[in-house]
Every structure is written in C-alpha cells, then in structure tokens.
Amino acid sequence: MREILPTLAGWHANGIPFGLATVVAVSRSAPRGPGAAMAVGPDDEVVGSVSGGCVEGAVFELAQEVVATGEPRLETFGYSDEDAFAVGLTCGGEITLLVRPVTAGSDPAFGAVAASVAGAEPVTVATVVDGPAPRGATLAVWPDRAAGSLGAGGLDVAVTADARGELALGASVLRHYGPHGERREDAVTVFLQSFAPPPRMLVFGAIDYAAAVARIGDFLGYRVTVCDARPVFATPKRFPAAVEVVVDWPHRYLSGTDTDERTVICVLTHDPKFDVPLLEEALRRPAAYIGAMGSRRTHEERRARLAGAGLTEAELSRLRSPLGLDLGARTPEEVAVSVAAEIVALRWGGTGAPLATTTGAIHAPAVR
C-alpha cells in the first residue's frame, strides 16, 4: 500500500473514484501479507498487487464492480483442486480481501493519510470489514488526532485506542468488537493497517561495502544513514541519493540517535578504535539487528575487547559477527545480499537454508 499511495492520492485529489482491494487476512502459504493492496483507477489502470499474479484478474473485475455499485465486497480466494487454472492461489494458501470504492465523499481523510505516509508521520487506518457496521467505513488515527467514523461513537472510541497501540508496534491486524465497541464481543470485524515511519538502517564505515549495503537497504524500504568520521570517504556522491551521509565519530553519532526494535545497525569499519566504542553503545540499546564485518580473528579480538569493556554475555550474544549468511560472497554487492538475507531471515524467523531442503509452510506466520 505504501508504494502505491502517491498514485492513489493523485486520483483522490482529482476527484477520480477507484476500487481498492486490500488483503485483510491470510492463511498458509499466501504470497502477500495483510495490508498488500491493488487498485483499479481511470482507464482501467492497475497499480499494486495482492497475490503476485494468482487472482489479480478476478480482483480487477471486483474493483470495477464496487466502483460501479458503490458497495464494498469481502472475498476469499484459495487453491482450486478441481482446476489449477481456475481463480485461486496455486501456492495452496488463502487470502481474504476487502474490495471497496474510494471517493472524495466516502473517504475524505484519504488524502491526509497519504500525506502523512509520504511525510513519515505515523498513522493507522481502521476499516470495517464485516458485521453490523457500514462495511468499508474508515477511521484514520494519528497519535494526536483522528478523522472519519466507523458508524458508532463507542466503536470509534474503542478502535481509536487500539489503533494507537498497534501503531506503536507498526502492526496491521484484524480486531473484533461489539456494535458499540464492546471489548469481548466479535460482531464487528475491523482491519487496522498501520503506517509507521520506515525502519532505520545505520551503516558505519563509508567503504565500498557500505555503498552496496546502503543500496540494498534503501531497496528493502529502510531509511538509511551512513556515518564515518573520515570526511574524505563520507561524501554524498559515493552513495545513493536517498541515503543520508553523516561525518561524525560513529559512537558519538549513535549515542545521539534514537533507535527502536526495528532498527538495523551494520558496523563495517573493522577498526578497533571505531568498532569497540560503537558496539559498546549499540549492544546496550534497542535494535533488531547488530552486525559487524571482519575476519573470525577480528571477531574474537573485538569480542574480547568488548567483554573487557564490561559488556555482559547476554549483550554480546546480540552481535552478529561476522555479519551475513554464508553465500560464498566476494564482491561488495554479493556481501550486501548476504547481509540483507541475514536481516530478512532474522526478522521473519527464517532458517537461511535452501527451501528445497526444508518442509512445511514456506511463509511462516508473522511473529508479533
């Protein structure tokens, strides 16, 4: 959804109605997670994807239908045993979609939501999926305000509180309520889709490997910052345009920078005078991933220095060093792929093993 919002915001601003299909639930090996979206706009223009191609043809027709009728639809698609070419997910999974018309009248806060996402301002959109409430009704919730309504004051109050909680986690989930927001009832189903600011990737050491890691970090949707104390290396022209470049001592920069449980920290300097004070700071603060480059000998020496500096075994166990998965990588670009693979595997609980050698579901349930 985040990627297609600029196009949708343009349609909305120009008063052009469009059909929006959003994945609200998945099971088994579904190719896209909750929040994935596809829209059909003017001249049958299609943006986004909800299944990687399996059911897009049927969704295209549904989107056209809801725009024509003004009535949202809730549809579930799964695997068809009778005909592998019928509408269904050949991967064996199942997805549930809410397909709704979006107009300036039906969703007046849509433009404000798109502007907030573009400006990295956190916002959650709550949408009625099913039950005795207007299907497709939306409520946009920011940390300090809200806009729209789900049709009942009590429901709005309950959903607003939950939306802010999910926004703090950056989560998109289904929640259930009574008709007036009662907590222990499940008459009304609401999809909460959170648009938290992009997670940060902090890359320390402005070397050629850093340029490759920064490029793949930007590709994966991180807000990337490269930091190095040496101004001759830390120059913006050496890095992609979207990457922030900072000249500062790494540990000093990190000590003044906010991190959270989604932050990725890559230490590529492999120089003790930079590494040790930087990792002392990194290993004592929240982060999803802390990796450091270097040989196995460098790793052992660095670990000993960190232990001598007072870091506990629990803190040291958070360090991924040498960073990256064993892909046999040689070039900076190949090393960047191995680092990205380790970050993705750690995020979703992957093993890093070839899928051909594993069994069970390919897409494991997301761990909140």
Side-chain angles (χ1 to χ4, degrees), residues 90-119:
T90 55
C91 60
E94 184 176 277
I95 61 173
T96 299
L97 303 175
L98 176 66
V99 189
R100 64 184 180 96
V102 179
T103 67
S106 68
D107 197 346
F110 192 92
V113 169
S116 291
V117 174

Side-chain angles (χ1 to χ4, degrees), residues 9 25 29 50 53 74 89 103 106 129 145 153 160 225 228 245 316 349 358-359:
S29 295
V50 291
L74 186 67
L89 299 179
T103 67
S106 68
V129 172
R145 66 193 189 279
T160 295
T225 298
D228 197 302
V245 179
L316 290 170
T358 64
T359 59

Side-chain angles (χ1 to χ4, degrees), residues 307-331:
L311 271 75
T312 66
E313 191 60 36
E315 290 167 336
L316 290 170
S317 69
R318 300 178 62 205
L319 178 61
R320 318 284 291 196
S321 175
L323 83 176
L325 297 185
D326 180 12
L327 305 182
R330 294 289 190 274
T331 68

Side-chain angles (χ1 to χ4, degrees), residues 257-271:
T257 300
D258 291 333
T259 63
D260 60 26
E261 287 74 11
R262 302 184 301 153
T263 303
V264 165
I265 299 173
C266 299
V267 180
L268 310 181
T269 48
H270 52 80
D271 183 330

Side-chain angles (χ1 to χ4, degrees), residues 5 26 69 74 86 100 115 118 125 141 146 186 202 240 244 251 253 271 273 299 313 321 351 361 367:
L5 264 177
V26 302
T69 64
L74 186 67
R100 64 184 180 96
V125 177
V141 180
D186 59 2
L202 306 177
E244 177 188 30
H251 73 282
Y253 173 76
D271 183 330
K273 68 176 177 290
H299 166 69
E313 191 60 36
S321 175
T351 64
V367 179

Side-chain angles (χ1 to χ4, degrees), residues 275-276 279-280 283 302-311 316 319:
D275 288 0
V276 174
L279 288 170
E280 277 188 72
L283 293 169
R302 183 166 50 209
R303 199 176 191 282
R305 290 174 185 266
L306 290 168
L311 271 75
L316 290 170
L319 178 61

Side-chain angles (χ1 to χ4, degrees), residues 24-25 74 98 126-137 150 155 159 173-179 185-192:
V24 297
L74 186 67
L98 176 66
T127 307
V128 174
V129 172
D130 204 6
R135 178 177 287 166
L150 304 183
L155 182 59
V159 170
V173 298
L174 285 175
R175 287 292 189 98
H176 303 277
Y177 305 89
E185 298 185 25
D186 59 2
V188 180
T189 302
V190 178
F191 181 58
L192 303 178

Side-chain angles (χ1 to χ4, degrees), residues 117-185:
V117 174
E121 180 185 18
V123 61
T124 294
V125 177
T127 307
V128 174
V129 172
D130 204 6
R135 178 177 287 166
T138 60
L139 174 67
V141 180
W142 291 265
D144 59 349
R145 66 193 189 279
S149 175
L150 304 183
L155 182 59
D156 289 346
V157 170
V159 170
T160 295
D162 289 344
R164 288 184 175 135
E166 298 300 341
L167 185 56
L169 299 172
S172 295
V173 298
L174 285 175
R175 287 292 189 98
H176 303 277
Y177 305 89
H180 300 285
E182 297 87 346
R183 291 288 182 178
R184 296 187 179 180
E185 298 185 25

